[in-house]
């Protein structure tokens, strides 16, 4: 891990009247070396040197420590089992920064930490850095603070009063407001006290949100303003609990025919505790199967919202697959530009669900569960209209609930809190293959293109770098280097896609491709009849390509971090050996874009390498052999 300066924020450790081996390990951790003198230890513990020396002698006599005379100091002390210092799980807490550094944590510790902290980055060598944010505490899956406190102490193996005090204050904030249903059917906003109601809710909300006060702690909510109230108070630092008596839908009875993995069971259990949430996990982690299991447990008619017609078709095929569920074709309908069927399980596109002329069809049916697939889109103006479809249970699915604007929090206010699993745990358990990511810096095809870039500005510069003709040769080179790979080549520009497809003599699938031809190409790829496919942005989301084991990103580096996750994620499947190559034109802003786009993947535990392509020497010169995670790359 990167060494952190304490900046006046010393990691808290429990003190004891006599020295223990654990305390000695803690002091070694602080000093950054496995050997200490008695004077160093005395200063660290703020105890008399004589008393510390006596304790060291006692630990030496018991065999826990060994002593060694050296030339520069009279005696240094070190653990008898020195390897224990490097192999044992170590947790260091910085309360003021609300930061937790963990060295070689086991999966239990990581599972506990993810219940109240966010994994910021890893170093690829067993080091993890977590940060406790307000939203992490608000979304903790516990009914009482005492239960959350037990989880914190289990994860940290001790009490950290300063951190616990801050977490408790955030816990209290998350339980100040709730939405309930009045006996007469309308919605009420309740405050925990008259003070918080007057000083927060009535200062932040206006007549577009509420009609009038009912009491000192209750306001009558305008119909349809619930989502706006939740969003407004969330942004003010007060998440709202949604306890409305929403529709549970007509019964839906079927059986799931596949067994859930342990983490999927945990996802479903956590969702059912609150009735809302977002399953967050890498592609290949089984979010769709977990969602179907949730449908089975909820047992009410279900509406699934998706961003594309292709994804609607894939959902329908999965739901009626006899190896997956006992649902039949008459139980599942699709509602989009191609088909318009309302069934006990209906899959619709966000665009259709948000249109006024179709809305009544969805409003008139009571849904026990609404599933928002690829829910990172929900805050956008086009998609958010679908969120008026409220039900007792709201479930989102996303590999990357990231947005480049400031509206990411809306995903969780409109749908529910994130429910996920440490990505690296999935890699270690073999549920998902960790792809190898490599940024390759490609030279200009010739001076003419380099000069054109130098004289251009703005968007034109970005396009020239993205469409550097040298990338066509690089794609050809990479495919030749992996002759047996099933490859996807991603582009942002139609002209570039056509050029690469023509050079490779392979199909190009874009938004212009007719749906029938699109389905034919995807089926050919799935069934090993097509080894290479060039894709425009239509391939970033909503297309399931489970057999891909090589991805080449030829352009698109100005896109979002979410796009980087989606494209890299096309190789994250249980089969190993997946590779992702990101091409960036050397000496352009694409270099920065490549780092930015993959940086958050490094924080999830993936390793990102950098390679400079040298055409003059018919070989590749290594610019940087390996970056221990994209988190080490400067944005």
């Amino acid at each position: 891990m990167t060494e952190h300066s304490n900046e006046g924020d010393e990691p808290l450790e429990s003190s004891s009247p006599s020295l223990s081996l654990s305390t000695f390990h803690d002091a070694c951790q602080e000093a950054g070396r496995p050997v200490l003198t008695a004077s160093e230890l005395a200063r660290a513990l703020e105890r008399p040197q004589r008393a510390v020396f006596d304790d060291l002698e006692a630990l030496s006599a018991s065999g826990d420590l060994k002593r060694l005379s050296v030339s520069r100091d009279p005696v240094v002390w070190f653990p008898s089992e020195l390897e224990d210092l490097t192999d044992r799980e170590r947790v260091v807490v910085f309360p003021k920064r609300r930061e937790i550094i963990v060295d070689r944590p086991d999966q239990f510790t990581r599972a506990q930490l993810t219940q109240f902290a966010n994994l910021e980055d890893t170093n690829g060598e067993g080091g993890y850095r977590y940060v406790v944010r307000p939203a992490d505490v608000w979304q903790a899956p516990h009914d009482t603070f005492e239960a959350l406190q037990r989880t914190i102490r289990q994860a940290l193996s001790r009490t950290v009063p300063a951190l616990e005090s801050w977490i408790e204050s955030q816990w209290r904030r998350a339980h100040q407001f709730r939405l309930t249903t009045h006996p007469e059917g309308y919605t009420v906003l309740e405050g925990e006290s008259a003070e918080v109601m007057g000083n927060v809710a009535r200062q932040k909300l206006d007549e577009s949100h509420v009609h009038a006060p009912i009491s000192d702690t209750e306001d009558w909510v305008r119909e349809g303003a619930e989502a706006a109230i939740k969003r407004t108070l969330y942004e003010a630092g007060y998440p709202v609990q949604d306890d409305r008596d929403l529709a549970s839908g007509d019964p839906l009875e079927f059986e799931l025919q596949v067994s859930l993995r342990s983490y999927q069971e945990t996802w479903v259990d956590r969702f059912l505790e609150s009735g809302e949430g977002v399953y967050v996990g890498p592609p290949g982690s089984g979010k769709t199967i977990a969602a179907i299991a949730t449908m089975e447990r909820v047992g009410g008619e279900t509406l699934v919202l998706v961003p594309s017609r292709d994804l609607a078709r894939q959902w329908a095929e999965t739901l009626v697959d006899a190896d997956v569920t006992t649902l039949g074709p008459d139980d599942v309908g699709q509602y989009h530009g191609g088909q318009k069927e309302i069934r006990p399980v209906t899959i619709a596109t966000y665009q259709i669900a948000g249109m006024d002329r179709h809305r009544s069809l969805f409003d008139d049916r009571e849904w026990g569960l609404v599933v928002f697939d690829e829910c990172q889109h929900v805050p956008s103006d086009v998609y958010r209209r679908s969120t008026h479809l409220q039900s007792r249970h709201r479930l989102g699915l996303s590999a990357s609930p990231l947005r480049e604007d400031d509206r990411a929090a809306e995903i969780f206010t409109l749908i529910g809190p994130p429910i996920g699993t440490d990505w690296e745990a999935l890699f270690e358990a073999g549920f998902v293959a960790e792809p190898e990511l490599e940024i390759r810096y490609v030279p200009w095809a010739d001076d003419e293109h380099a000069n054109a870039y130098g004289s251009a500005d703005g968007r034109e510069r970005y396009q020239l770098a993205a469409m550097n003709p040298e990338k066509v040769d690089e794609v050809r080179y990479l495919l030749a280097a992996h002759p047996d790979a099933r490859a996807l080549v991603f582009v942002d520009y139609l002209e570039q896609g056509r050029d690469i497809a023509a050079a490779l003599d392979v199909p190009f699938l874009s938004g212009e491709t007719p749906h029938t031809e699109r389905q034919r190409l995807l089926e050919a790829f799935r069934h090993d009849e097509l080894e290479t496919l060039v894709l425009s942005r239509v391939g970033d989301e909503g297309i399931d390509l489970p057999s891909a084991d090589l991805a080449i990103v030829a352009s698109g580096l100005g896109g979002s971090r979410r796009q980087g996750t989606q494209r890299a994620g096309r190789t994250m499947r249980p089969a190993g050996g997946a590779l992702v190559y990101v091409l960036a034109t050397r000496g352009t802003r694409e270099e920065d874009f490549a780092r930015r786009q993959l940086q958050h993947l490094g924080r999830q535990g993936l390793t990102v390498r950098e390679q400079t392509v040298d055409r003059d020497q018919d070989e590749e010169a290594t610019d940087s052999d390996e970056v221990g995670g994209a988190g080490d790359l400067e944005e």
Side-chain angles (χ1 to χ4, degrees), residues 195-442:
E195 289 75 17
V196 75
M197 197 70 185
N199 295 332
V200 179
R202 289 170 183 162
Q203 295 296 320
K204 297 293 182 181
L205 304 177
D206 56 35
E207 60 185 15
S208 67
H209 301 103
V210 295
H211 287 289
I214 300 173
S215 69
D216 289 344
T217 59
E218 298 172 306
D219 279 359
W220 178 9
V221 174
R222 288 189 179 275
E223 185 175 358
E226 292 88 354
I229 288 173
K230 290 162 69 175
R231 184 172 61 254
T232 300
L233 292 180
Y234 187 98
E235 292 171 351
Y238 292 86
V240 179
Q241 297 181 76
D242 196 340
D243 296 332
R244 289 176 288 164
D245 296 331
L246 296 169
S248 57
D250 289 337
L252 174 69
E253 296 183 1
F254 71 95
E255 293 182 5
L256 184 68
Q257 302 290 79
V258 296
S259 299
L260 295 183
R261 300 164 180 169
S262 58
Y263 65 86
Q264 291 171 318
E265 288 278 9
T266 301
W267 290 357
V268 176
D269 290 343
R270 286 182 59 179
F271 175 85
L272 293 175
E273 288 176 4
S274 61
E276 59 182 19
V278 177
Y279 293 163
V280 180
S285 58
K287 295 184 293 296
T288 300
I289 293 298
I292 296 173
T294 306
M295 292 168 51
E296 179 195 34
R297 304 276 184 89
V298 168
E301 295 194 344
T302 299
L303 174 64
V304 181
L305 298 175
V306 297
S308 71
R309 191 185 307 183
D310 290 314
L311 194 53
R313 178 181 56 80
Q314 291 167 23
W315 263 94
E317 291 175 352
T318 301
L319 286 166
V320 300
D321 186 335
D323 293 331
V324 179
T325 78
T326 57
L327 290 167
D330 292 339
D331 298 315
V332 179
Q334 298 181 55
Y335 200 99
H336 47 68
Q339 297 175 241
K340 290 183 173 59
E341 305 164 332
I342 299 290
R343 300 275 173 80
V345 179
T346 300
I347 306 116
T349 58
Y350 284 102
Q351 295 91 331
I352 288 286
M355 291 181 180
D356 292 335
R357 65 178 181 272
H358 300 290
R359 183 175 300 176
S360 62
L361 293 171
F362 300 105
D363 283 339
D364 291 345
R365 198 166 191 129
E366 293 187 343
W367 304 103
L369 171 67
V370 178
V371 179
F372 300 85
D373 200 1
E374 303 287 2
C375 67
Q376 64 273 5
H377 295 293
V378 162
S380 67
D381 294 333
V382 174
Y383 285 41
R384 68 180 297 120
R385 298 187 68 188
S386 64
T387 58
H388 77 282
L389 294 164
Q390 298 285 287
S391 72
R392 183 181 297 277
H393 301 93
R394 296 182 301 282
L395 172 63
L397 308 178
S398 181
S400 50
L402 301 167
R403 293 185 63 86
E404 303 307 309
D405 55 25
D406 58 356
R407 302 170 72 177
E410 294 186 28
I411 298 169
F412 307 125
T413 60
L414 294 170
I415 301 175
I419 300 171
T421 302
D422 178 349
W423 284 33
E424 195 162 340
L426 302 183
F427 298 151
E428 290 178 359
F431 291 127
V432 180
E434 176 185 349
E436 297 179 32
L437 275 63
E438 181 171 294
I439 305 172
R440 297 177 67 82
Y441 301 115
V442 180

Side-chain angles (χ1 to χ4, degrees), residues 168-182:
E168 183 175 11
S169 70
Q170 292 301 318
W171 172 268
R172 303 301 176 204
R173 272 179 169 258
H175 293 78
Q176 294 297 309
F177 295 103
R178 69 188 189 117
L179 292 171
T180 63
T181 301
H182 192 273

Side-chain angles (χ1 to χ4, degrees), residues 58-81:
L59 286 174
S60 177
S62 68
D64 289 328
L65 293 182
K66 290 187 177 180
R67 53 182 295 166
L68 176 68
S69 298
V70 295
S71 59
R72 296 180 60 185
D73 288 295
V75 178
V76 294
W77 305 82
F78 62 93
S80 300
E81 299 292 337

